[in-house]
Short mmCIF file of all heavy atoms in Angstrom, two decimals:
data_model
loop_
_atom_site.label_atom_id
_atom_site.label_comp_id
_atom_site.label_asym_id
_atom_site.label_seq_id
_atom_site.Cartn_x
_atom_site.Cartn_y
_atom_site.Cartn_z
N LEU R 201 34.84 18.38 -24.84
CA LEU R 201 34.35 17.42 -23.85
C LEU R 201 33.31 16.53 -24.51
O LEU R 201 32.41 17.03 -25.19
CB LEU R 201 33.70 18.13 -22.67
CG LEU R 201 34.59 18.94 -21.74
CD1 LEU R 201 33.73 19.72 -20.75
CD2 LEU R 201 35.52 18.02 -21.00
N VAL R 202 33.42 15.23 -24.29
CA VAL R 202 32.49 14.29 -24.91
C VAL R 202 32.13 13.19 -23.91
O VAL R 202 33.01 12.67 -23.21
CB VAL R 202 33.13 13.65 -26.17
CG1 VAL R 202 32.34 12.44 -26.62
CG2 VAL R 202 33.23 14.66 -27.30
N ALA R 203 30.85 12.84 -23.86
CA ALA R 203 30.43 11.71 -23.01
C ALA R 203 30.82 10.42 -23.71
O ALA R 203 30.21 10.04 -24.70
CB ALA R 203 28.93 11.76 -22.77
N ALA R 204 31.84 9.74 -23.19
CA ALA R 204 32.32 8.53 -23.85
C ALA R 204 31.53 7.30 -23.45
O ALA R 204 31.61 6.26 -24.10
CB ALA R 204 33.81 8.34 -23.55
N ASP R 205 30.79 7.37 -22.37
CA ASP R 205 29.94 6.23 -21.96
C ASP R 205 28.75 6.81 -21.21
O ASP R 205 28.75 8.00 -20.83
CB ASP R 205 30.74 5.27 -21.07
CG ASP R 205 30.10 3.88 -21.01
OD1 ASP R 205 28.96 3.70 -21.53
OD2 ASP R 205 30.73 2.96 -20.45
N SER R 206 27.74 5.98 -20.98
CA SER R 206 26.57 6.44 -20.22
C SER R 206 26.12 5.33 -19.30
O SER R 206 26.23 4.14 -19.64
CB SER R 206 25.42 6.80 -21.16
OG SER R 206 24.70 5.65 -21.53
N LYS R 207 25.64 5.72 -18.13
CA LYS R 207 25.01 4.76 -17.24
C LYS R 207 23.78 5.43 -16.64
O LYS R 207 23.90 6.39 -15.89
CB LYS R 207 25.99 4.34 -16.14
CG LYS R 207 25.54 3.10 -15.40
CD LYS R 207 26.63 2.59 -14.49
CE LYS R 207 26.11 1.46 -13.63
NZ LYS R 207 27.04 1.15 -12.54
N ILE R 208 22.62 4.93 -17.02
CA ILE R 208 21.36 5.53 -16.57
C ILE R 208 20.50 4.44 -15.94
O ILE R 208 20.30 3.38 -16.53
CB ILE R 208 20.57 6.14 -17.76
CG1 ILE R 208 21.43 7.14 -18.54
CG2 ILE R 208 19.26 6.75 -17.28
CD1 ILE R 208 21.46 8.52 -17.99
N ASP R 209 20.01 4.73 -14.75
CA ASP R 209 19.05 3.83 -14.10
C ASP R 209 17.77 4.63 -13.86
O ASP R 209 17.81 5.68 -13.21
CB ASP R 209 19.64 3.31 -12.78
CG ASP R 209 18.78 2.22 -12.16
OD1 ASP R 209 17.81 1.77 -12.81
OD2 ASP R 209 19.08 1.81 -11.02
N LEU R 210 16.67 4.17 -14.45
CA LEU R 210 15.39 4.88 -14.30
C LEU R 210 14.60 4.25 -13.16
O LEU R 210 14.65 3.04 -12.94
CB LEU R 210 14.58 4.77 -15.61
CG LEU R 210 15.27 5.30 -16.87
CD1 LEU R 210 14.44 4.95 -18.11
CD2 LEU R 210 15.48 6.80 -16.79
N ASP R 211 13.88 5.08 -12.43
CA ASP R 211 13.06 4.60 -11.31
C ASP R 211 11.80 3.92 -11.86
O ASP R 211 10.91 4.59 -12.39
CB ASP R 211 12.70 5.81 -10.42
CG ASP R 211 11.77 5.43 -9.28
OD1 ASP R 211 11.54 4.23 -9.05
OD2 ASP R 211 11.27 6.37 -8.62
N ASP R 212 11.71 2.61 -11.71
CA ASP R 212 10.57 1.86 -12.25
C ASP R 212 9.24 2.40 -11.73
O ASP R 212 8.22 2.30 -12.41
CB ASP R 212 10.68 0.38 -11.87
CG ASP R 212 11.86 -0.29 -12.56
OD1 ASP R 212 11.87 -0.31 -13.80
OD2 ASP R 212 12.78 -0.76 -11.86
N ASN R 213 9.25 2.93 -10.51
CA ASN R 213 8.01 3.44 -9.93
C ASN R 213 7.45 4.64 -10.69
O ASN R 213 6.30 5.00 -10.51
CB ASN R 213 8.23 3.84 -8.47
CG ASN R 213 8.34 2.64 -7.55
OD1 ASN R 213 8.05 1.51 -7.97
ND2 ASN R 213 8.77 2.86 -6.33
N ALA R 214 8.29 5.28 -11.52
CA ALA R 214 7.83 6.48 -12.22
C ALA R 214 7.38 6.17 -13.65
O ALA R 214 7.07 7.08 -14.42
CB ALA R 214 8.93 7.54 -12.24
N LEU R 215 7.30 4.89 -13.97
CA LEU R 215 6.92 4.48 -15.33
C LEU R 215 5.58 5.10 -15.76
O LEU R 215 5.40 5.46 -16.92
CB LEU R 215 6.86 2.95 -15.41
CG LEU R 215 6.44 2.33 -16.73
CD1 LEU R 215 7.44 2.66 -17.82
CD2 LEU R 215 6.29 0.82 -16.60
N PHE R 216 4.66 5.27 -14.80
CA PHE R 216 3.33 5.76 -15.16
C PHE R 216 3.36 7.14 -15.80
O PHE R 216 2.45 7.50 -16.54
CB PHE R 216 2.38 5.73 -13.95
CG PHE R 216 2.75 6.70 -12.86
CD1 PHE R 216 2.34 8.02 -12.91
CD2 PHE R 216 3.51 6.27 -11.76
CE1 PHE R 216 2.68 8.91 -11.91
CE2 PHE R 216 3.87 7.17 -10.75
CZ PHE R 216 3.45 8.49 -10.83
N ARG R 217 4.42 7.93 -15.51
CA ARG R 217 4.45 9.26 -16.14
C ARG R 217 5.48 9.35 -17.25
O ARG R 217 5.81 10.42 -17.72
CB ARG R 217 4.64 10.36 -15.10
CG ARG R 217 5.90 10.25 -14.26
CD ARG R 217 5.86 11.33 -13.16
NE ARG R 217 6.95 11.15 -12.22
CZ ARG R 217 6.88 11.50 -10.96
NH1 ARG R 217 5.78 12.03 -10.47
NH2 ARG R 217 7.90 11.34 -10.17
N HIS R 218 6.02 8.20 -17.65
CA HIS R 218 6.97 8.17 -18.76
C HIS R 218 6.61 7.07 -19.75
O HIS R 218 7.31 6.07 -19.86
CB HIS R 218 8.39 7.94 -18.23
CG HIS R 218 8.88 9.04 -17.35
ND1 HIS R 218 9.32 10.25 -17.84
CD2 HIS R 218 9.00 9.11 -16.01
CE1 HIS R 218 9.69 11.02 -16.82
NE2 HIS R 218 9.50 10.36 -15.71
N PRO R 219 5.52 7.26 -20.47
CA PRO R 219 5.13 6.20 -21.41
C PRO R 219 6.23 5.89 -22.43
O PRO R 219 6.30 4.78 -22.96
CB PRO R 219 3.88 6.79 -22.10
CG PRO R 219 3.89 8.25 -21.77
CD PRO R 219 4.61 8.40 -20.48
N GLU R 220 7.12 6.89 -22.65
CA GLU R 220 8.20 6.69 -23.63
C GLU R 220 9.19 5.62 -23.18
O GLU R 220 9.97 5.10 -23.97
CB GLU R 220 8.91 8.02 -23.91
CG GLU R 220 9.83 8.54 -22.80
CD GLU R 220 9.11 9.29 -21.66
OE1 GLU R 220 7.86 9.28 -21.61
OE2 GLU R 220 9.82 9.87 -20.81
N TRP R 221 9.16 5.25 -21.89
CA TRP R 221 10.11 4.24 -21.41
C TRP R 221 9.79 2.84 -21.91
O TRP R 221 10.66 1.99 -21.95
CB TRP R 221 10.10 4.18 -19.88
CG TRP R 221 10.73 5.36 -19.22
CD1 TRP R 221 11.26 6.46 -19.83
CD2 TRP R 221 10.87 5.55 -17.81
NE1 TRP R 221 11.72 7.34 -18.87
CE2 TRP R 221 11.50 6.81 -17.64
CE3 TRP R 221 10.54 4.81 -16.69
CZ2 TRP R 221 11.80 7.31 -16.37
CZ3 TRP R 221 10.83 5.30 -15.44
CH2 TRP R 221 11.46 6.56 -15.29
N LEU R 222 8.53 2.62 -22.25
CA LEU R 222 8.14 1.26 -22.59
C LEU R 222 8.99 0.70 -23.73
O LEU R 222 9.34 -0.46 -23.74
CB LEU R 222 6.65 1.22 -22.96
CG LEU R 222 5.75 1.24 -21.72
CD1 LEU R 222 4.29 1.35 -22.14
CD2 LEU R 222 5.96 0.00 -20.85
N GLU R 223 9.33 1.61 -24.67
CA GLU R 223 10.13 1.09 -25.79
C GLU R 223 11.60 0.94 -25.42
O GLU R 223 12.37 0.35 -26.16
CB GLU R 223 9.95 1.97 -27.03
CG GLU R 223 10.36 3.40 -26.82
CD GLU R 223 10.01 4.25 -28.06
OE1 GLU R 223 8.85 4.66 -28.17
OE2 GLU R 223 10.91 4.43 -28.89
N LEU R 224 11.98 1.50 -24.27
CA LEU R 224 13.36 1.32 -23.84
C LEU R 224 13.58 -0.04 -23.19
O LEU R 224 14.68 -0.56 -23.14
CB LEU R 224 13.76 2.41 -22.83
CG LEU R 224 13.77 3.85 -23.33
CD1 LEU R 224 14.02 4.81 -22.18
CD2 LEU R 224 14.85 4.03 -24.39
#
Side-chain angles (χ1 to χ4, degrees):
Chain R
L201 291 173
V202 166
D205 200 352
S206 83
K207 195 171 173 193
I208 305 276
D209 188 7
L210 303 172
D211 176 10
D212 293 299
N213 285 349
L215 178 64
F216 67 84
R217 58 186 172 209
H218 297 283
E220 74 278 10
W221 288 2
L222 281 174
E223 59 186 82
L224 296 173

